[in-house]
């Protein structure tokens, strides 16, 4: 299927979208599926000779660990960023959860980050560090840093982050600094 340019009069012509993907996390998802399969296999093919309690603990543990790893990794296989005239919307994974919506009226500025790494944030996913702020990190690479009016920051790894920063800066309303009397 070919991508056709949109006419300027399209209703969503003023919407910028971007995304970042981490294919390595599919391997972790496979590991989670393997844990679930092991738990199901234990439940079906067990000889029940060691007692029911250890068997149940093994089955439940394998299935719980598998579900946790499977859904925890699939939630952060990719991140999608959508910027329109009023807000930014960040959606993670295939079902879009977790999701965060930030009105542009709460954004003081946007900066380009040439290198955002999971190591700096403590891993992949939705992260918070007191000294750095909040982030959605799905891969190593470029990202954008939003500076909010309340003093917090929000970092997002996204492809073509420079373009996103330009779009956000263009849409920010000029705001006068508050003066104290």
């Amino acid at each position: 299927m070919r991508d056709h340019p949109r006419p300027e009069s399209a209703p969503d012509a003023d919407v910028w979208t971007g995304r970042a993907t981490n294919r390595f996390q599919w391997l972790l998802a496979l590991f989670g599926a393997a844990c679930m399969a092991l738990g199901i296999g234990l439940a079906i093919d067990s000889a029940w000779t060691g007692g029911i309690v250890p068997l149940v603990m093994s089955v439940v543990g394998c299935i719980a660990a598998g579900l946790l790893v499977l859904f925890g990794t699939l939630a952060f296989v990719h991140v999608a960023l959508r910027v329109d005239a009023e807000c930014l919307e960040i959606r993670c994974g295939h079902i879009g959860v977790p999701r965060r919506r930030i009105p542009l009226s709460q954004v003081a500025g946007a900066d380009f980050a040439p290198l955002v790494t999971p190591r700096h944030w403590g891993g992949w996913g939705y992260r918070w560090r007191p000294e750095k702020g909040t982030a959605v990190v799905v891969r190593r690479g470029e990202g954008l840093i939003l500076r909010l009016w309340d003093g917090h920051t929000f970092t997002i790894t996204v492809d073509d982050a420079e373009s996103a920063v330009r779009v956000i800066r263009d849409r920010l309303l000029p705001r006068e600094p508050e003066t104290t009397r």
Side-chain angles (χ1 to χ4, degrees):
M1 189 162 115
R2 292 181 12 183
D3 189 16
H4 299 285
R6 291 183 196 183
E8 290 298 321
S9 62
D12 59 348
D14 292 332
V15 174
W16 185 92
T17 58
R19 76 189 272 142
T21 303
N22 184 345
R23 290 186 176 93
F24 176 73
Q25 288 186 329
W26 284 106
L27 294 175
L28 296 173
L30 287 174
F31 175 73
C35 284
M36 285 181 44
L38 176 63
I40 293 168
L42 284 172
I44 293 172
D45 292 334
S46 176
W48 298 78
T49 59
I52 187 92
V53 173
L55 178 65
V56 169
M57 289 174 58
S58 297
V59 169
V60 170
C62 286
I63 291 175
L67 285 172
L68 182 65
V69 170
L70 181 65
F71 291 115
T73 56
L74 289 180
F76 294 101
V77 167
H78 70 264
V79 63
L81 173 65
R82 181 179 187 273
V83 181
D84 61 23
E86 297 175 4
C87 71
L88 291 96
E89 187 174 62
I90 301 103
R91 292 176 161 217
C92 300
H94 294 290
I95 59 173
V97 176
R99 175 185 317 178
R100 177 146 183 206
R101 188 180 159 119
I102 303 172
L104 287 175
S105 62
Q106 294 179 2
V107 178
D111 299 311
F112 173 71
L115 183 62
V116 178
T117 65
R119 185 179 54 127
H120 292 132
W121 286 94
W124 292 312
Y126 201 101
R127 299 293 181 183
W128 175 76
R129 292 189 56 191
E131 71 277 4
K132 295 185 88 163
T134 308
V136 175
V137 180
V138 296
R139 54 117 172 104
R140 177 183 179 170
E142 64 182 298
L144 67 99
I145 302 171
L146 297 174
R147 289 176 283 111
L148 305 178
W149 284 109
D150 62 4
H152 294 99
T153 62
F154 192 82
T155 304
I156 309 152
T157 56
V158 65
D159 295 334
D160 196 16
E162 283 183 290
S163 172
V165 168
R166 236 184 342 268
V167 168
I168 293 167
R169 286 179 179 169
D170 288 346
R171 294 183 182 182
L172 292 178
L173 299 175
R175 210 173 194 194
E176 294 181 16
E178 295 179 17
T179 57
T180 56
R181 295 182 184 198

